[in-house]
Amino acid sequence: NVSRTLEELSKLTGRYEKGDRTNFLFYYAGHGETEKRASEIGYLILSGYWESDKSAPDVQAYNMGHLSRDIREKIHSSHQILLIDCCFSGFVTKARGNVNENPQAIYELWKSKAHAIVTAGSEKQRSFESGEKSIFSGTLFRALGGESESMLADVNKDGLVTDAELAAYLSSEVPKQFAGSKLTQTPQYHRGTEGDDVGQFLFIPRK
């Protein structure tokens, strides 16, 4: 249950009252579904959903539209990033944001709180696999150095990957996997641009 887990994490992270210089990464790789109500709603699918009669999706699933708000409100951390790999994941957010290649500006942004979201595709797209491996997650791991010592998403070669660099890399590389196909998948990106959440989430390589 996502709501219960976030409540438990809220208590655990409560020791960091102001969330100063603490990172929180939420990664979901699984199934996503939609349901038409007054408007269309995207859901993260939880255990037991497929065995249920699906009459109460808010019990057996989690409304994607609530995820960013709930994490922002419940988790005590100054820097947050949500990485969502499922069908229709664009319901979590809308895409916007640019790569900032100025290292000094990056460090300045890091001093501010950050809340960033990167999804596998738009609210209308499915998340596809190649063989039995997710195309989005596979590209994500390569971007952050999962298969080598270098982080491929480090555009300006400063030894760091910002959320904007990661999103730009995924937005460029994931669609290439569908060359020559009628299928498509376009990662989406959103980073806070107002108030307390204008900072960058930084990935730093292990030494």
Side-chain angles (χ1 to χ4, degrees):
N1 184 293
V2 176
S3 295
R4 185 165 57 247
T5 299
L6 290 179
E7 288 293 346
E8 293 174 355
L9 287 172
S10 179
K11 295 176 183 177
L12 289 173
T13 58
R15 71 186 71 176
Y16 310 108
E17 185 175 350
K18 297 181 180 179
D20 290 348
R21 300 294 176 266
T22 56
N23 295 330
F24 179 81
L25 187 152
F26 180 94
Y27 173 65
Y28 176 87
H31 294 288
E33 274 294 345
T34 63
E35 178 169 299
K36 185 71 174 178
R37 295 189 180 180
S39 61
E40 199 166 23
I41 299 174
Y43 288 98
L44 302 180
I45 300 305
L46 307 179
S47 177
Y49 176 84
W50 303 114
E51 293 77 24
S52 71
D53 60 9
K54 303 177 182 61
S55 61
D58 290 310
V59 176
Q60 295 111 359
Y62 189 84
N63 189 327
M64 293 187 203
H66 296 168
L67 185 62
S68 175
R69 179 202 65 192
D70 289 350
I71 287 178
R72 188 194 305 265
E73 292 179 352
K74 295 178 180 180
I75 303 302
H76 300 266
S77 67
S78 57
H79 292 70
Q80 303 173 347
I81 189 167
L82 287 64
L83 303 172
I84 314 299
D85 184 7
C86 67
C87 295
F88 318 115
S89 55
F91 275 101
V92 177
T93 187
K94 299 293 183 181
R96 68 182 181 188
N98 297 302
V99 175
N100 188 325
E101 297 188 355
N102 183 326
Q104 184 58 39
I106 289 172
Y107 284 112
E108 289 300 316
L109 282 171
W110 180 76
K111 294 178 182 178
S112 302
K113 289 185 176 181
H115 185 87
I117 305 168
V118 183
T119 67
S122 74
E123 68 271 25
K124 299 295 183 182
Q125 294 176 332
R126 294 188 176 276
S127 181
F128 294 99
E129 296 180 346
S130 177
E132 296 183 353
K133 295 184 178 180
S134 162
I135 291 175
F136 176 82
S137 287
T139 308
L140 169 65
F141 297 149
R142 288 193 296 275
L144 297 176
E147 297 179 356
S148 67
E149 294 183 358
S150 63
M151 297 189 294
L152 299 181
D154 183 10
V155 176
N156 60 356
K157 305 304 178 185
D158 63 351
L160 303 172
V161 171
T162 68
D163 53 71
E165 284 181 310
L166 176 62
Y169 180 85
L170 292 170
S171 294
S172 171
E173 294 300 316
V174 169
K176 291 179 182 179
Q177 309 299 314
F178 298 90
S181 169
K182 294 182 179 179
L183 302 175
T184 186
Q185 189 174 322
T186 312
Q188 307 289 293
Y189 171 60
H190 168 77
R191 177 164 59 82
T193 56
E194 300 177 355
D196 294 333
D197 295 321
V198 299
Q200 289 270 19
F201 192 100
L202 303 182
F203 293 90
I204 303 173
R206 292 177 296 178
K207 299 297 184 181

